[in-house]
Amino acid sequence: MQVTIIDYGVGNLRSLQRGLERADATVTVSDDPAEIAASDALVLPGVGAFGECVRNLAPFRDVVVEAAADTPVLGICVGFQLMFTESTEGAPEGETIDGLDLIPGRVERLPSDEVKVPHMGWNELTVERDHPIVDGVASKTPQADGDYAYFVHSYGSSVADHTVAACDYGFDFAAIAATERGNVMGTQFHPEKSGDTGLRVLRNFVAFAEDWNDTTVTAE
Amino acid sequence: MTLTKRIIPCIDVDLDENGDAKVYTGVNFEDLQYTGDPVEMARAYNRAGADEFVFLDITASADGRETMLDTVSAVADEVFIPLTVGGGIRTKADIVETLRAGADKVSINTGALQRPGLITEGAESVGSQAIVISVDARRRYDEGGEHYEQVDGESCWFECTVKGGREGTGTDVVAWSAEAEERGAGELFVNSIDADGTKDGYDIPLTRAVCDAVSTPVIASSGCGGPEDAYEVFTEAGADAALAASIFHFDEHSIDEVKRYLDERGVPVRR
């Protein structure tokens, strides 16, 4: 399975590449829109501020939006936030900055009255609905711990219909979400830093992309 | 709701006579023993359930830098948990190149004490989450800084030292920690020269004083002799993470054993 990580100048992609390779993907890191458009599956990373990521992603925006129509896409951390309609990060009071609008919703600052922000560390996942991305991921229940993932972020989007797994940190936010069609998904945590749970999520994405491409080819 | 308390193994890496990166562990703070290959150890700790991994470059020479960055990359390829790299980071370029090699965070000690602006520059350039400020604290019983009560009733203040505790700076650890946070440090890494290598437990008054002064996560280091010491630093001092080296390197305790001990006593950990 060939997977392309979109390299739009945000941070270190090395661990992510290694994580996907562990999941048996053949990984390309690319900043070439034509190559990105031709890929079987895409990963949209992101580190830093939302607004800066939006600016850096501008040359690839159309390619990503078009690909999202029929290609598996995985957003990670700020890359995941970019998939939402809008974010309040870096915008003047009462305004927002537009995201890619692949998943409906707004990204907002985590409430800091009870907890330390940024949310940095290992926290539990509560699986809200079925999706291949969470195959084999243990959900938090009143009786048992869920699987833990590693988070580093100050902004998040509240739990909604698209949420696949939630996480509780002062409020319930979407730790994993996916579109209705299912091929566009993302994680607020860093799967490449989340130990075995993270590697499982990456393997799930690669397996999903394989199935998706097989089914799409057969259907055509 | 609550984040888990983190258990973090740490390796000190130096170059051997052939110029290869090797892990050394201090016994009684000076007597460094060879304990293994950094990549092998990283792989083992990743498998053993470590929550993060700390790699300290203790090479004295600048020539070793390139070899070390290659070693950081090799380690980063093996650990799918956050990786912090420290040692000899003095400039923004050092920060950027260490992160590029595969680290998620850099730990800065002397470089920040000498030029506090480095913290601000680093946080602005790579984000606070990647900037860890490390202090080597030493107890002082004179009137040079604000005093804290000790468990045995005697009070002292804590001084930032450099060169492995051999040189004092006159800077108060607690005041410096607050300044570092103000300047954008995302975490504080608190070592104790007094507790280092003793295995008598973390320096609780020191760790508590820093935890009370800042709201960023505090990683307690130095003095861990077993699971009960980790329990004490979480419950008595309010640390967010406990770092240990020799108890893990010499197989005296396993990460799982420490986490089981904490879990049984109601401290939230990832298992």
Side-chain angles (χ1 to χ4, degrees):
Chain A
M1 184 67 216
Q2 184 271 328
V3 176
T4 300
I5 301 174
I6 304 173
D7 178 12
Y8 61 106
V10 288
N12 173 27
L13 306 173
R14 188 185 182 97
S15 303
L16 182 55
Q17 178 172 355
R18 292 290 177 270
L20 287 161
E21 284 168 358
R22 279 287 167 97
D24 287 332
T26 306
V27 184
T28 312
V29 177
S30 177
D31 60 359
D32 172 12
E35 189 174 32
I36 293 166
S39 296
D40 295 338
L42 296 176
V43 175
L44 180 61
V47 170
F50 187 90
E52 198 191 333
C53 285
V54 168
R55 276 193 297 281
N56 290 338
L57 187 67
F60 309 100
R61 188 186 175 101
D62 293 347
V63 175
V64 175
V65 171
E66 271 170 43
D70 63 357
T71 304
V73 188
L74 175 69
I76 292 172
C77 198
V78 181
F80 170 58
Q81 295 178 3
L82 289 172
M83 291 176 153
F84 286 88
T85 312
E86 57 191 6
S87 172
T88 58
E89 185 178 1
E93 187 70 32
E95 293 178 34
T96 58
I97 294 175
D98 287 347
L100 298 172
D101 198 20
L102 303 172
I103 301 174
R106 175 184 288 179
V107 177
E108 294 175 288
R109 190 163 172 87
L110 299 172
S112 56
D113 37 339
E114 291 174 51
V115 291
K116 291 179 183 177
V117 172
H119 176 215
M120 182 161 72
W122 295 86
N123 206 337
E124 267 176 293
L125 301 175
T126 303
V127 176
E128 299 280 337
R129 66 180 174 96
D130 282 344
H131 184 285
I133 194 76
V134 287
D135 280 354
V137 174
S139 179
K140 181 184 178 181
T141 66
Q143 294 80 33
D145 282 10
D147 279 339
Y148 286 88
Y150 188 78
F151 293 86
V152 186
H153 63 123
S154 300
Y155 288 75
S157 190
S158 18
V159 168
D161 292 348
H162 52 67
T163 304
V164 174
C167 179
D168 175 11
Y169 191 67
F171 85 124
D172 287 333
F173 65 89
I176 305 177
T179 54
E180 204 172 320
R181 216 173 153 219
N183 64 310
V184 175
M185 65 203 87
T187 64
Q188 180 59 69
F189 57 86
H190 284 273
E192 76 281 15
K193 292 290 159 190
S194 295
D196 290 343
T197 301
L199 292 178
R200 180 180 289 273
V201 166
L202 292 176
R203 270 201 308 276
N204 286 346
F205 174 71
V206 173
F208 174 89
E210 258 165 22
D211 286 352
W212 180 272
N213 284 295
D214 287 351
T215 315
T216 312
V217 169
T218 315
E220 280 164 4
Chain B
M1 179 79 190
T2 26
L3 288 171
T4 59
K5 300 292 186 182
R6 292 170 275 158
I7 300 297
I8 307 179
C10 169
I11 56 172
D12 288 336
V13 186
D14 200 350
L15 299 180
D16 66 8
E17 65 276 13
N18 302 320
D20 294 327
K22 291 283 153 50
V23 179
Y24 292 86
T25 303
V27 180
N28 297 326
F29 197 41
E30 280 174 347
D31 178 20
L32 289 174
Q33 281 187 12
Y34 167 75
T35 41
D37 172 69
V39 178
E40 282 301 323
M41 288 177 80
R43 194 181 288 143
Y45 285 128
N46 183 62
R47 223 176 12 234
D51 294 315
E52 295 195 26
F53 190 64
V54 172
F55 176 121
L56 295 179
D57 168 3
I58 58 168
T59 46
S61 72
D63 325 337
R65 183 118 193 112
E66 204 134 310
T67 311
M68 279 302 171
L69 288 175
D70 288 344
T71 310
V72 167
S73 296
V75 165
D77 289 349
E78 295 298 330
V79 299
F80 294 98
I81 51 177
L83 169 66
T84 301
V85 175
I89 292 173
R90 303 295 172 112
T91 64
K92 195 171 102 177
D94 292 340
I95 296 173
V96 169
E97 107 186 324
T98 306
L99 295 183
R100 194 174 291 143
D104 298 292
K105 316 177 194 183
V106 291
S107 162
I108 313 172
N109 187 342
T110 314
L113 278 166
Q114 286 175 343
R115 197 169 62 82
L118 179 61
I119 305 174
T120 323
E121 282 171 26
E124 279 169 5
S125 139
V126 299
S128 288
Q129 85 290 337
I131 306 293
V132 183
I133 294 304
S134 172
V135 292
D136 288 344
R138 184 172 62 186
R139 292 181 176 189
R140 291 275 304 261
Y141 296 90
D142 55 39
E143 296 306 311
E146 193 184 332
H147 276 234
Y148 295 88
E149 284 303 315
Q150 296 298 305
V151 268
D152 55 8
E154 199 178 0
S155 78
C156 68
W157 65 285
F158 301 101
E159 182 189 29
C160 292
T161 67
V162 293
K163 300 188 177 159
R166 288 191 299 277
E167 210 169 276
T169 62
T171 303
D172 186 293
V173 167
V174 179
W176 169 240
S177 300
E179 183 184 342
E181 175 181 41
E182 188 76 14
R183 287 182 175 274
E187 279 185 322
L188 292 159
F189 186 175
V190 184
N191 307 286
S192 162
I193 297 301
D194 305 286
D196 195 90
T198 63
K199 294 190 183 168
D200 289 338
Y202 295 93
D203 188 330
I204 299 298
L206 164 71
T207 314
R208 191 193 297 127
V210 175
C211 288
D212 286 349
V214 300
S215 64
T216 58
V218 172
I219 302 161
S221 169
S222 312
C224 187
E228 60 289 349
D229 292 334
Y231 178 77
E232 187 186 27
V233 84
F234 290 139
T235 56
E236 300 290 315
D240 297 276
L243 182 135
S246 54
I247 65 158
F248 297 138
H249 299 343
F250 296 125
D251 286 328
E252 291 162 14
H253 299 277
S254 72
I255 292 173
D256 191 55
E257 178 193 347
V258 173
K259 287 192 173 184
R260 191 165 358 108
Y261 183 94
L262 295 167
D263 191 22
E264 284 165 2
R265 284 157 187 78
V267 176
V269 287
R270 175 182 76 110
R271 289 192 67 196

